[in-house]
Amino acid sequence: MTAPEQSATEAGYPPEPWDLRGHGYVSLWLVPTRELPPLPAGLRPVSTFGRTVVATAFVDYLPGGLLAYHELLVAPLVREGARPGLSITDIWVDSAASMAGGRELWGIPKDMAEFEMAHEPSFDATARLGKTVVASAHGTRGRRGLRLPFPLLGRASQALRGRLAHTPLRAGGRVHTARATWEVDGPLAWLRPYEPFLTVAATDFTLRFGPRRR
């Protein structure tokens, strides 16, 4: 039997945990629960008055972390029993190693896309599938950010080889208030009728993803 670390190396992605760093913009939306994509068996949306909080994010993972790549993700707030978390329903990257590792290690359904991203003087990001712009975002952030005095903790819950897998994450960095406008299309057209109610920017953040709880 091949050890997991050997399998990961042969597949072209590093073993967990992944220690990453970069910049990210996260927007929160209130979406009718009935509009959400299907969730893994065993998870339920966290719903209030028929609506669920959905997070969208553009992330620029920088050199100095385990991998450097761009990412666009969508993750509704979910629960297993009474315990809350996130489940990533849609996600694209521009790194084959990230795509393979996300799928094999944690059940994250990563696909490939083309990205354009700039941080100064304002934030602009675009993710394309061929000629389709899946999402674009334009935003500005407040000059003064608050460095978190303790790491944020959470977990991602995904379907992995017929079971529900939970992967802890720990993130820290400087958080800024921000404003952003989004345009979505293609597989994210279900978000088009809505607008984010809150956006934050994280600069020079660190993220540890994994190891998965077995």
Side-chain angles (χ1 to χ4, degrees), residues 34-104:
R34 65 178 182 277
E35 301 293 338
L36 297 180
L39 296 172
L43 296 180
R44 297 289 183 270
V46 175
S47 180
T48 303
F49 300 109
R51 291 180 175 263
T52 295
V53 173
V54 176
T56 60
F58 271 108
V59 187
D60 185 359
Y61 293 111
L62 299 173
L66 189 63
L67 293 172
Y69 60 96
H70 300 101
E71 182 174 84
L72 164 67
L73 67 85
V74 179
L77 182 63
V78 299
R79 63 181 176 86
E80 183 190 24
R83 181 162 185 179
L86 295 173
S87 187
I88 300 170
T89 58
D90 302 274
I91 181 169
W92 294 269
V93 296
D94 57 2
S95 162
S98 175
M99 182 181 71
R103 287 175 171 266
E104 291 295 321

Side-chain angles (χ1 to χ4, degrees), residues 98-162:
S98 175
M99 182 181 71
R103 287 175 171 266
E104 291 295 321
L105 294 173
W106 307 301
I108 299 174
K110 295 185 179 183
D111 284 313
M112 296 288 286
E114 296 179 355
F115 287 80
E116 297 174 6
M117 199 174 296
H119 302 285
E120 299 293 346
S122 60
F123 171 73
D124 288 282
T126 302
R128 288 186 174 86
L129 290 176
K131 295 182 179 180
T132 301
V133 176
V134 179
S136 63
H138 171 77
T140 58
R141 69 170 185 263
R143 292 185 178 181
R144 292 186 178 181
L146 174 65
R147 184 162 292 279
L148 297 176
F150 50 83
L152 291 176
L153 303 177
R155 71 173 187 173
S157 299
Q158 309 292 145
L160 178 66
R161 292 186 278 277

Side-chain angles (χ1 to χ4, degrees), residues 18-33:
W18 286 11
D19 288 305
L20 305 168
R21 62 177 296 268
H23 308 310
Y25 284 76
V26 180
S27 292
L28 301 181
W29 313 55
L30 269 177
V31 178
T33 304

